[in-house]
Amino acid sequence: MKTALAVLFASLAVSAYADLCQNYWWKCGSDDWVQNKETKCQDEDVRKKCPLLCGVCSEPEPEPKPAEMQALSGSAISDYNALSSGGTKHNVKTISFGSLRFKSPPTIVLGTSYLDTHHGANIRLNINYQHVTTTGFQINFGKWGSDTHIYQVGVKWMAIGEKA
């Protein structure tokens, strides 16, 4: 019921508005309007009374151009045996976008593509990105625990952002 009343009141308001504009001087869209648009548009009173039905006599604001986006992708592999039980706790790889640039630092998405571990060891792995710039970023392969033995880790990455 509320919806029906809202539609009724909206249509009455539009109808009254159309009558006001139609009776003001001319019916918008008529031959008279098209031929004399520039002259009639100079009248500020016309622009105020009929902005919706008759237009405001100026070109509409252009739609903002959507940002041109780009997505780059690749893969990275940790150094072999770098995350073994006797190895370091971190292995960092620097990724460069080459000659391509982003307008601002892009959003980075990482996914593990493979994991090579020792069959009798725990698997404690942390992979994240850091130092994201318009030209590249770093992938940090990390592990914890003295009984963790990871031979190698592969990741796929994607950088998504506005083209420079």
Side-chain angles (χ1 to χ4, degrees), residues 39-72:
T39 306
K40 292 181 181 184
C41 287
Q42 300 302 317
D43 187 337
E44 188 176 337
D45 201 29
V46 172
R47 290 194 306 266
K48 285 181 180 177
K49 289 188 177 182
C50 301
L52 295 176
L53 184 62
C54 303
V56 292
C57 306
S58 62
E59 294 298 317
E61 288 291 321
E63 290 286 325
K65 185 179 177 186
E68 189 174 349
M69 303 297 283
Q70 70 180 351
L72 305 176

Side-chain angles (χ1 to χ4, degrees), residues 2 11 13 39-40 48 60 88 106 110 117-118 121 129 131 143:
K2 287 182 182 180
S11 64
T39 306
K40 292 181 181 184
K48 285 181 180 177
T88 62
L110 298 176
T117 66
H118 186 271
Y129 57 87
H131 307 297
K143 65 106 178 183

Side-chain angles (χ1 to χ4, degrees), residues 45-115:
D45 201 29
V46 172
R47 290 194 306 266
K48 285 181 180 177
K49 289 188 177 182
C50 301
L52 295 176
L53 184 62
C54 303
V56 292
C57 306
S58 62
E59 294 298 317
E61 288 291 321
E63 290 286 325
K65 185 179 177 186
E68 189 174 349
M69 303 297 283
Q70 70 180 351
L72 305 176
S73 63
S75 60
I77 302 171
S78 67
D79 292 337
Y80 187 77
N81 229 9
L83 301 173
S84 65
S85 56
T88 62
K89 291 186 176 189
H90 296 279
N91 184 226
V92 176
K93 292 292 180 178
T94 300
I95 304 298
S96 172
F97 301 141
S99 62
L100 298 174
R101 299 286 183 267
F102 288 93
K103 188 174 182 179
S104 58
T107 299
I108 305 295
V109 179
L110 298 176
T112 306
S113 59
Y114 75 89
L115 180 60

Side-chain angles (χ1 to χ4, degrees), residues 2 7 13 17 22 26 31 43 59 66 75-76 92 94 103 113 116 125-126 135 146 149 152:
K2 287 182 182 180
V7 170
Y17 193 76
Q22 185 174 0
W26 65 89
D31 289 339
D43 187 337
E59 294 298 317
S75 60
V92 176
T94 300
K103 188 174 182 179
S113 59
D116 186 7
L125 177 65
N126 182 24
T135 61
S146 60
H149 192 107
Q152 203 164 35

